[in-house]
Amino acid sequence: MVKVIAHRGASKLAPQNTLSAFRLAKELKADGFENDVHMTKDGHIVVCHDYDIDETSNGTGHIIDYTLEELLKFDFGSYFSPEFEGEKIPTLNEFFEISKGLSIINVEIKRPFD
């Protein structure tokens, strides 16, 4: 049986690795999700592919250099389309909550770079 895994959510239709992208992938009947996670300066786990937020938000810098509270001030949707303005970086807990009911979850743990 073929299973469909949404890489970074429905990343061609919504900003990658956002709750909007994961919700849309679920609506499109994906069997599972793939994502990447990083640790923040204050020990929270957030969902983002890159080590930095330069390409996917209105901020710059490395995730490890920010607290979760600081990261939540950035917009992770406008780079993709104005309709996603205000999208926030998701936490791993939020990702797991939206993943309920799926048969496949692939979480790639990114270790801090040296």
Side-chain angles (χ1 to χ4, degrees), residues 35-99:
N35 75 5
D36 307 274
V37 297
H38 297 268
M39 186 177 291
T40 64
K41 182 167 66 174
D42 56 344
H44 292 273
I45 307 296
V46 294
V47 178
C48 190
H49 175 73
D50 298 329
Y51 288 92
D52 60 59
I53 60 171
D54 298 24
E55 291 184 28
T56 57
S57 80
N58 63 342
T60 60
H62 296 108
I63 292 169
I64 192 70
D65 294 330
Y66 286 104
T67 65
L68 177 59
E69 184 178 340
E70 291 167 335
L71 285 170
L72 290 173
K73 294 177 183 174
F74 295 115
D75 176 350
F76 282 79
S78 297
Y79 82 92
F80 187 86
S81 169
E83 74 180 276
F84 294 103
E85 182 178 351
E87 189 80 34
K88 301 299 178 197
I89 192 169
T91 65
L92 185 58
N93 287 339
E94 290 172 319
F95 170 78
F96 283 143
E97 187 64 32
I98 207 164
S99 300

Side-chain angles (χ1 to χ4, degrees), residues 22 25-26 29-33 95 98-105:
F22 294 122
K26 204 169 182 180
K29 307 297 184 202
D31 298 301
F33 299 147
F95 170 78
I98 207 164
S99 300
K100 286 182 179 177
L102 298 177
S103 60
I104 302 168
I105 304 299

